Amino acid sequence: METGRRPRLNVAYGSWELIWEHVHRVLVVNLGIAVTHLPLLLALQLSHQPWRHPVFFGLLLLLLPGPSLAAAFAYLGATAGDEQRPVRLFARAYRQLFRRAVLVSAPFVLLVIAAVADAVAVRTTPLGPAVVPMAVVVALVAALAWPVALAHVAGGGAVGRRLFLLAPYAVVRHGVLALMNLVLGIVLLFLVNQAPLLGLAVLPGCVLFVVWRNCRVMVVFQGRGAVADPVVREAVLDVAREVVREGRRDATDSFRSRTSRATAPGC
């Protein structure tokens, strides 16, 4: 009686390499997000009711999430398709995009805070049924347009009035992708709230990779009258060039190592 053979997992070398490259990219993004948000995480540990300290937490929201998300998008864009992805590229992108990311984040974050505050203030008044739905829609559109604008800046786009008008338009035009980003963001916040350490170690990079892909599709205004900032574009290109150099150096070292092993006595 013949016994069935156990199925073997036969995956090509290139597939394993591709999987590890994606895992490495996700881990770098997770590390960068966790490190850049340490002040906010510590503040949330000290105060479980952040709405009681609106000024302090408002400043943290203005300064921390925007630059870290822009750096994550720039890192994902600069390392797409390359082999070597050093962590210092995230830090470099964070440093170079910090000011522009804060300028882009401020209007959207302030609009979300104002809309939520208005909804809470008038929810029990006669104007509540009319104002609350509009405030909720404004807050959602602003929150969803925020990563789209950051993706535009991370890709070398300029910061201007057109950006603050066309990012919400991109959200409305690509409603399905915007809804996907919203669902992913809610799931991420919920899981991180339930298990902070495990959530920050695994989830942000995976979620931001999908959000970044969606935002690349939603940034329909890039290249249509929005002139790219040469300083930002040059910084992004520098990051990409450095990644390519690192990848080529790693490939050369790997080839030399294999060649030396093949020509060694006894092989």
Side-chain angles (χ1 to χ4, degrees), residues 59 61-68 70 94 97-109 146 150 153 159 164:
L59 289 175
L61 290 177
L62 286 175
L63 296 176
L64 298 182
S68 62
Y94 182 85
L97 296 173
F98 184 88
R99 179 176 174 273
R100 292 173 178 85
V102 171
L103 292 177
V104 169
S105 299
F108 294 107
V109 174
W146 175 50
L150 289 176
V153 173
V159 179
F164 300 109

Side-chain angles (χ1 to χ4, degrees), residues 39-143:
L40 180 59
L41 296 175
L42 293 176
L44 290 174
Q45 289 295 322
L46 297 176
S47 175
H48 298 286
Q49 296 178 336
W51 55 87
R52 294 183 178 272
H53 311 280
V55 177
F56 177 72
F57 282 96
L59 289 175
L60 291 180
L61 290 177
L62 286 175
L63 296 176
L64 298 182
S68 62
L69 290 182
F73 291 156
Y75 179 84
L76 293 172
T79 60
D82 293 322
E83 296 181 0
Q84 196 74 11
R85 299 174 180 86
V87 181
R88 64 178 178 273
L89 295 183
F90 185 97
R92 183 179 180 184
Y94 182 85
R95 183 178 67 256
Q96 293 175 341
L97 296 173
F98 184 88
R99 179 176 174 273
R100 292 173 178 85
V102 171
L103 292 177
V104 169
S105 299
F108 294 107
V109 174
L110 292 175
L111 186 58
V112 171
I113 293 176
V116 173
D118 290 342
V120 173
V122 303
R123 72 183 189 280
T124 58
T125 64
L127 295 177
V131 175
V132 170
M134 291 189 297
V136 171
V137 171
V138 170
L140 288 177
V141 172

Side-chain angles (χ1 to χ4, degrees), residues 74-248:
Y75 179 84
L76 293 172
T79 60
D82 293 322
E83 296 181 0
Q84 196 74 11
R85 299 174 180 86
V87 181
R88 64 178 178 273
L89 295 183
F90 185 97
R92 183 179 180 184
Y94 182 85
R95 183 178 67 256
Q96 293 175 341
L97 296 173
F98 184 88
R99 179 176 174 273
R100 292 173 178 85
V102 171
L103 292 177
V104 169
S105 299
F108 294 107
V109 174
L110 292 175
L111 186 58
V112 171
I113 293 176
V116 173
D118 290 342
V120 173
V122 303
R123 72 183 189 280
T124 58
T125 64
L127 295 177
V131 175
V132 170
M134 291 189 297
V136 171
V137 171
V138 170
L140 288 177
V141 172
L144 294 173
W146 175 50
V148 176
L150 289 176
H152 175 72
V153 173
V159 179
R161 287 179 295 180
R162 286 176 56 86
L163 176 62
F164 300 109
L165 295 176
L166 294 176
Y169 167 74
V171 170
V172 175
R173 180 178 180 180
H174 300 276
V176 176
L177 296 179
L179 181 61
M180 183 185 301
N181 290 345
L182 177 63
V183 172
L184 289 174
I186 293 174
V187 172
L188 173 63
L189 293 177
F190 175 77
L191 294 178
V192 170
N193 182 65
Q194 296 297 317
L197 294 179
L198 182 60
L200 289 175
V202 177
L203 297 176
C206 300
V207 172
L208 289 180
F209 181 80
V210 179
V211 172
W212 169 68
R213 289 282 188 176
N214 292 341
C215 289
R216 288 183 61 187
V217 178
M218 296 168 68
V219 181
V220 294
F221 51 87
Q222 190 167 1
R224 297 185 181 181
V227 181
D229 190 331
V231 177
V232 180
R233 183 171 294 278
E234 186 63 27
V236 175
L237 291 177
D238 287 343
V239 174
R241 294 190 192 102
E242 185 173 349
V243 173
V244 172
R245 288 195 297 269
E246 292 286 343
R248 288 176 179 174

